[in-house]
Structures are given as C-alpha cells and as structure tokens.
Amino acid sequence: MRQAFSSSARDGRKATQECPCGFFGDSTRECHCSPPQIQRYVSKISGPLIDRIDIHIEVPAVKYKELRGASAIEDSATVRERVLRARMRQSARFTGEKKIFANAQMPPKLIRKFCAISDEGEKMLENAITRMGLSARAHDRILKVARTIADLDESASLQTRHLGEAIQYRTLDRTYWA
Ligand SMILES: [Zn+2]
C-alpha cells in the first residue's frame, strides 16, 4: 500500500494543510483564506494524483494537552504483530499468483475474485462512487484497501464495515471532487 497522504511536503509544516495559511479546519485557530484561495491551493494536488493514493484523511492539529495526555493507545509491537499476520494472510491468498504478494497489487481480475462484497456493501459502494464522483480506479482502490482492513481485522470475508472504513479514507475526493 502506498503511504498515507501528506500535503505538508511543500513547506515542511505538519498537520492539516488545505489552505495557504494552514489553519483551515483547525479547531484552535481561525483561517482567513477565501474559498477560491483554498480551492486553488488544493487543486495543486490534481484529481488523477489523488486517485493514485490509497488513503487520505484529514488530520487536525493535535492540541498540546492531548499530546501530553496518557491515552490508551496500542504499543507498536502489538500493531506490528497485527500487520505481520495481515501480510501472512495476503501471501497465503496469492500463492500461485506470479509477482503478487499484497492486496495493493491485485489486478481487476483478482479484485473480483478476492473482494466479493454483499448486496448491502455493493449498494454502499455504488452510493459513495456516485456521491463522490469517483473513477473506476478509485473504486478498485477502495476495494483493495477494504480487503486489507479485513485482513487486519482477521476476517476471511470482506464485510460492509470494512468497506465503509475504506470509503472514509477518501476524504479528499469527498471534500473537493464530489
Ligand atoms: Zn487559511
């Protein structure tokens, strides 16, 4: 899977960067940019490029208090174990397929084979595609990401909740290319 999207590469600032001032969507500071300014800023990341990225989510700037707070997060060893198990599921899945080791590499034929969804899921996906105006490529990407979410969940079948999560990871489509 490709890396999560970060729009801060250009100027090195962290957190959400959806406008010139950098505070659009920030809960602690006010953004004074105009809608056209924001649109222009985001348009630099073109639709086709966004299409090629598996996951993009908006990450609000973390407040200092939250940064210091001891929240119950998983330690990285636990996460690592889960990721390794998901990778093992994937290599088992693609035994016999040449040069394919991971969900991200599935061609359309294998997507159809391994990413079967229920009628309910089908409806949800169709809805999302229409609402967000997604391309066929984005459609396939959602299914592949959903398959990986199911693998991390140690679920043999691709369930509607996995699909729903994958759809949520297309926030830039939803916000700017709907
Ligand atoms: Zn701004």
Side-chain angles (χ1 to χ4, degrees):
M1 195 188 298
R2 287 184 177 83
Q3 291 303 301
F5 170 70
S6 162
S7 58
S8 57
R10 245 172 54 96
D11 56 9
R13 283 182 294 178
K14 293 212 170 83
T16 320
Q17 295 287 311
E18 281 171 10
C19 70
C21 82
F23 295 123
F24 181 76
D26 193 307
S27 56
T28 58
R29 320 255 300 252
E30 208 177 329
C31 161
H32 295 286
C33 305
S34 68
Q37 264 181 314
I38 295 168
Q39 189 72 46
R40 223 177 3 257
Y41 190 85
V42 173
S43 294
K44 286 185 195 153
I45 314 147
S46 67
L49 175 61
I50 290 293
D51 245 16
R52 286 164 204 276
I53 300 169
D54 287 329
I55 293 179
H56 33 87
I57 49 173
E58 293 178 58
V59 184
V62 180
K63 294 191 191 99
Y64 181 72
K65 260 190 185 158
E66 289 168 19
L67 206 63
R68 300 281 297 169
S71 50
I73 49 165
E74 288 181 288
D75 60 273
S76 52
T78 309
V79 176
R80 181 175 187 277
E81 283 306 309
R82 190 167 63 238
V83 170
L84 286 179
R85 280 198 303 273
R87 293 298 288 206
M88 270 154 56
R89 271 182 172 279
Q90 292 174 50
S91 37
R93 174 174 305 135
F94 301 119
T95 307
E97 301 290 343
K98 276 181 201 142
K99 293 185 191 164
I100 294 179
F101 324 96
N103 295 334
Q105 300 167 307
M106 284 191 281
K109 192 185 75 170
L110 290 186
I111 293 173
R112 277 195 298 278
K113 184 173 171 188
F114 293 121
C115 303
I117 47 177
S118 66
D119 288 349
E120 187 195 3
E122 201 78 64
K123 215 172 277 174
M124 181 198 272
L125 185 57
E126 199 183 301
N127 225 304
I129 300 277
T130 313
R131 191 162 37 86
M132 298 191 245
L134 299 186
S135 66
R137 191 191 281 133
H139 168 274
D140 285 359
R141 227 162 254 292
I142 288 172
L143 283 175
K144 288 190 278 189
V145 169
R147 187 54 264 176
T148 298
I149 293 166
D151 287 338
L152 288 166
D153 195 24
E154 305 195 37
S155 167
S157 64
L158 207 174
Q159 292 168 33
T160 308
R161 67 169 192 278
H162 304 132
L163 191 62
E165 187 176 336
I167 290 169
Q168 278 182 17
Y169 294 148
R170 309 292 310 180
T171 53
L172 288 177
D173 300 316
R174 192 164 55 222
T175 315
Y176 300 104
W177 282 280

